[in-house]
Amino acid sequence: MKSMNGRQAGDPVELARALVTIVGQDKPLQRFVAGADAIEFAENRAQELLAQADASRELGGALDYDDLHV
């Protein structure tokens, strides 16, 4: 982290402004993704999670008790 100090892509002043804006909102975001690189990473991760959920649907979605066991 120390080696990145002062060389980060994002402007700390702009981040501070964004955080102040969020704090002042009536319904602030539950999770704020700061930076274009972080947004791209979050989008990719979300797509991976959706793909895993979809692939799990048949097997994972059939785990409720059968009517016979109630």
Side-chain angles (χ1 to χ4, degrees):
M1 291 300 237
K2 287 182 181 183
S3 67
M4 291 296 294
N5 189 23
R7 297 184 349 191
Q8 64 271 18
D11 181 347
V13 173
E14 292 299 325
L15 174 60
R17 286 186 185 133
L19 294 174
V20 168
T21 299
I22 291 169
V23 169
Q25 294 174 337
D26 290 334
K27 292 185 178 182
L29 297 169
Q30 290 182 339
R31 289 174 182 82
F32 175 62
V33 182
D37 56 341
I39 291 170
E40 182 179 352
F41 178 82
E43 288 174 334
N44 289 336
R45 184 67 177 129
Q47 290 172 357
E48 289 173 11
L49 288 170
L50 286 171
Q52 290 177 23
D54 191 50
S56 300
R57 189 173 314 282
E58 185 177 340
L59 182 60
L63 300 176
D64 291 341
Y65 282 111
D66 294 332
D67 289 338
L68 300 176
H69 291 106
V70 176

